[in-house]
């Protein structure tokens, strides 16, 4: 588990976690999570929301608000970053 802070205007690169699931609990702030094979789904999240991302599902979090978004993240991958697969071909599908 780790604590993640996404600053206002911040976003991750489009990626997936090969063979590992992710659970995210939003502590404060607001953010959007895009997910799906073409990042075709979008969920707005806020304090108290729990997000589940199955293994191998492309996703991209984005904070388009004016305050930091803070969340606790837990993965079934003990090494956290070893299962990350970047998906640069999906980057342009999510508005900046």
């Amino acid at each position: 588990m780790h604590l993640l802070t996404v600053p206002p205007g911040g976003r991750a690169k489009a990626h997936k976690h090969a063979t590992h699931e992710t659970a995210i609990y939003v502590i404060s702030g607001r953010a959007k999570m895009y997910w799906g094979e073409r990042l075709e789904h979008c969920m707005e999240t806020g304090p108290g929301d729990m997000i589940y991302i199955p293994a191998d599902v492309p996703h991209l979090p984005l904070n388009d608000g004016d305050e930091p978004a803070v969340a606790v993240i837990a993965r079934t991958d003990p090494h956290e970053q070893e299962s990350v697969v970047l998906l640069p071909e999906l980057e342009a599908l999510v508005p900046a």
Side-chain angles (χ1 to χ4, degrees), residues 31-70:
K32 291 180 180 174
M33 176 65 77
Y34 291 86
W35 85 96
E37 289 304 311
R38 304 283 301 152
L39 301 176
E40 67 271 20
H41 306 288
C42 180
M43 165 193 304
E44 296 203 20
T45 66
D49 287 342
M50 176 70 97
I51 303 154
Y52 170 73
I53 302 169
D56 292 307
V57 172
H59 56 283
L60 184 157
L62 162 73
N63 180 351
D64 60 356
D66 56 4
E67 66 179 276
V70 180

Side-chain angles (χ1 to χ4, degrees), residues 17-39:
H17 301 272
T19 70
H20 295 288
E21 302 166 292
T22 303
I24 303 166
Y25 179 78
V26 181
I27 296 171
S28 62
R30 305 196 78 68
K32 291 180 180 174
M33 176 65 77
Y34 291 86
W35 85 96
E37 289 304 311
R38 304 283 301 152
L39 301 176

Side-chain angles (χ1 to χ4, degrees), residues 66-85:
D66 56 4
E67 66 179 276
V70 180
V72 175
I73 298 180
R75 282 195 197 90
T76 57
D77 177 1
H79 303 291
E80 183 188 340
Q81 295 298 318
E82 287 187 14
S83 70
V84 172
V85 177

Side-chain angles (χ1 to χ4, degrees), residues 3-21:
L3 189 65
L4 172 71
T5 300
V6 181
R11 68 186 263 167
K13 294 184 180 214
H15 66 284
K16 65 181 180 178
H17 301 272
T19 70
H20 295 288
E21 302 166 292

